[in-house]
Amino acid sequence: MSTVTAYAATSAAEPLTKTTIARREVGPHDVALDIHFAGICHSDIHTIRGEWGEVRYPMVPGHEIAGIVTAVGADVTKYKPGDRVGVGCFVDSCRECPACLAGEEQYCSNPGMVGTYNGVGRDGEPTQGGYSAAIVVDENYVLRIPDSVALDAAAPLLCAGITLYSPLRHWNAGPDKKIAVVGLGGLGHMGVKLAKAMGAEVTVLSQSLKKMEDGLRLGADEYYATSDPDTFSKLAGKFDLILNTVSANLDLSAYLGLLALDGTLVELGMPEHPMPVPPAALIFGRRSLSGSLIGGIAETQEMLEFCAEHDVAPEIEVIEPDYVNEAYGRVLASDVRYRFVIDTASLR
Ligand code: NAP
Ligand code: ZN
Ligand code: ZN
């Protein structure tokens, strides 16, 4: 066992504080890595605040991890010390259920993927995430970061990147598709870049026009404010696919009205409370409402290669670990441009 420095939440209401946590011995199939960068995802905040259920405090968040391998177990074949690697939202799964066998470990049903934090590992110990100096992970749940992707920019790809890449692929984003991205935050800005790189026509639907210049620079063809009721009449029936990345409740019925015949609205944001859906909003236009959860290991690796090939990277603000509580306040105020990434050097 080793002891590493980390930032942990001790309750739903207290600020995160510096502490130490234990990491397990490097087992035969394990990879140990020094964490260099960890992204801040809105899910970290939902989780800490107990909005998604029970939390095992003290809890170290962080599931957008980029670092360098320091040691590998005797049976590890995929990685060696010095390799540039990433870890995303889960660190294990049953490996036997239909989802795991299909390489969609995020949908493991037996009983579910082991979250990078606030989960329980095979050893029965709580999992602790990336706001820390180092981590030990089974090699099958580690990603290779392509040489041309900087480590700090790689971190947000491990959650925000794959969470948008997977539905874009699943719903066949391409030149013949009109796609709307709702919410221009960490997830949303990756959605704009990835959909554009796949050749789709992309529209941003943001609360206001404050970030319009950024949205267009990131690759959006059009940009509308959802605070303007005209937006919903102007764009009625336009989109094949709407990706909702908003972390709060929206009037889904209004957004479903923006779908073309047979269009799909995909829920990616996961606010705490239910959102009512009037049946007529689905029936007229044979519209679908779906959801999508991150992506499997193979698809995450594919996404990293895609980003390297198409020069797609997040826009990040690199921060020191002791800025994390302030950063949370800015995320909650939709004042993030467009992902905070913690430089963990001072924790090592
Ligand atoms: P984020 O950076 O905070 O972005 C969310 C964006 O939603 C904001 O930038 C804002 O965009 C918009 N928004 C926030 N509050 C709003 C409100 N009250 N009304 C309307 N729009 C609002 O968060 P994120 O890290 O991208 O995560 C977004 C959501 O996705 C979270 O709920 C997170 O837990 C979830 N998530 C899901 C998955 C998955 O696998 N499905 C993976 C990761 C995260 P504008 O300022 O442009 O309006
Ligand atoms: Zn996340
Ligand atoms: Zn499984």
Side-chain angles (χ1 to χ4, degrees), residues 42-43 46 184 186-187 206-207 211 245 268 270 292 294 339:
H42 206 118
S43 302
H46 289 301
L184 195 65
L187 265 58
S206 180
Q207 293 168 92
K211 297 182 256 184
T245 75
L268 299 173
M270 213 162 93
S292 182
I294 42 176
R339 199 60 144 181

Side-chain angles (χ1 to χ4, degrees), residues 219-241:
D221 298 286
E222 295 185 25
Y223 197 108
Y224 291 89
T226 53
S227 53
D228 178 357
D230 283 353
T231 293
F232 290 89
S233 45
K234 250 186 246 161
L235 302 179
K238 177 177 167 100
F239 301 108
D240 302 298
L241 181 66

Side-chain angles (χ1 to χ4, degrees), residues 40-44 63-64 89 117 159-160 163 187 294 339:
I40 293 180
C41 177
H42 206 118
S43 302
D44 302 346
H63 59 204
E64 294 185 336
C89 298
Y117 58 79
C159 174
T163 300
L187 265 58
I294 42 176
R339 199 60 144 181

Side-chain angles (χ1 to χ4, degrees), residues 93-97 100 108-110:
S93 65
C94 84
R95 311 173 193 212
E96 288 169 355
C97 73
C100 282
C108 175
S109 56
N110 189 22

Side-chain angles (χ1 to χ4, degrees), residues 235-250:
L235 302 179
K238 177 177 167 100
F239 301 108
D240 302 298
L241 181 66
I242 299 177
L243 301 175
N244 178 17
T245 75
V246 172
S247 48
N249 281 29
L250 291 183

